[in-house]
Every structure is written in structure tokens, then in C-alpha cells.
């Protein structure tokens, strides 16, 4: 697993194989707040350095997200869509579940309760 470290947040990235697809799993651990949001937003494109645009965002350990963090997630989704990739979100706590529902995500974004569930559904589709 590779890591991008920011103040109060670590992004872990790992490429897995699901059938013939290479899928980038991005794990968010910590918080996206006013103290780190600008730096995260400026550097988030680094997750695409391997040019894999099939993503599972594991938000199970994301404790807090502010409006800039929401904009960052939308930016990731738009990048995946522009590259004809596929995106799933897995692992939502109660707070994030409410935030994600309020975001009015594109229909193509599938949301699952865990990373494991997202991975198993990737294989089915």
C-alpha cells in the first residue's frame, strides 16, 4: 500500500485485480478540515499517478469532512467519469452516510456499507 500523508489525514492507495479490471482502492483515514483541505485538494491528483480510473473509495475511517473535502470527492468522481472509469464508495459511518446522501451523487456512483461489499459487487458487475 502507498500512502499520501497530510495533516490529520492519510490516504492509502492499493491496486487490486477484480476479474480483468485493475481497481484502485483509496482509503481515507482521519479528517478533512480547514487546516488540511487546501493541501489535500492541491495534491489529490497524485492518486491517479498509475493512470487507473476504476476506484473504490474506502471512507470507513474518515472521521470528518468539510465542504472543501466534499468538493474534493466530487472532483475525484468527475475525473473518473471523464476517463470512462468506474467508482464505488464503501464504508460509511452514520455522519458520512448523511453527507453522501446530501451530495446528490451521479447515478453511476455506487455506495456500499463496506469496502468488502464494494469489492464483491465490483466482481458481479
Amino acid at each position: 500500500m502507498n500512502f499520501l500523508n497530510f495533516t490529520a489525514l492519510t490516504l492509502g492507495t492499493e491496486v487490486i485485480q477484480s476479474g480483468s479490471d485493475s481497481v484502485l482502492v483509496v482509503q481515507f483515514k482521519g479528517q478533512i478540515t480547514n487546516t488540511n483541505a487546501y493541501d489535500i485538494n492541491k495534491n489529490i491528483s497524485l492518486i491517479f499517478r498509475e493512470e487507473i480510473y476504476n476506484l473504490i473509495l474506502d471512507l470507513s475511517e474518515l472521521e470528518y469532512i468539510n465542504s472543501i473535502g466534499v468538493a474534493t470527492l466530487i472532483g475525484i468522481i468527475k475525473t473518473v467519469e471523464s476517463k470512462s472509469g468506474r467508482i464505488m464508495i464503501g464504508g460509511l459511518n452514520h455522519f458520512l452516510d448523511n453527507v453522501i446522501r446530501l451530495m446528490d451523487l451521479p447515478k453511476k456512483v455506487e455506495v456500499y456499507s463496506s469496502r468488502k461489499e464494494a469489492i464483491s459487487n465490483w466482481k458481479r458487475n
Side-chain angles (χ1 to χ4, degrees):
M1 186 171 275
N2 295 313
F3 296 96
L4 291 171
N5 293 302
F6 303 96
T7 304
L9 182 78
T10 300
L11 294 180
T13 61
E14 172 185 21
V15 178
I16 62 170
Q17 287 299 126
S18 184
S20 61
D21 291 337
S22 292
V23 181
L24 180 65
V25 178
V26 182
Q27 180 183 27
F28 289 69
K29 185 174 184 175
Q31 302 179 350
I32 301 177
T33 65
N34 290 341
T35 58
N36 63 10
Y38 174 76
D39 197 30
I40 294 165
N41 204 34
K42 189 174 85 170
N43 293 292
I44 197 67
S45 63
L46 292 173
I47 66 170
F48 297 111
R49 65 181 162 242
E50 295 181 51
E51 296 188 19
I52 296 172
Y53 297 98
N54 291 319
L55 262 68
I56 294 175
L57 302 179
D58 179 356
L59 305 182
S60 60
E61 295 187 61
L62 183 60
E63 300 162 6
Y64 178 81
I65 186 169
N66 67 4
S67 58
I68 299 171
V70 169
T72 300
L73 290 180
I74 291 170
I76 292 170
I77 292 166
K78 288 186 182 285
T79 298
V80 168
E81 286 181 335
S82 73
K83 299 291 186 174
S84 300
R86 185 173 168 206
I87 189 162
M88 292 181 169
I89 296 174
L92 298 175
N93 60 38
H94 180 68
F95 168 75
L96 288 174
D97 187 44
N98 289 335
V99 170
I100 295 298
R101 289 184 199 286
L102 292 172
M103 287 174 61
D104 194 27
L105 295 171
K107 301 260 187 268
K108 292 182 180 181
V109 180
E110 300 170 52
V111 180
Y112 296 96
S113 60
S114 70
R115 170 185 174 155
K116 183 178 180 180
E117 187 181 358
I119 290 169
S120 68
N121 276 285
W122 193 288
K123 294 174 184 174
R124 277 192 224 141
N125 298 323

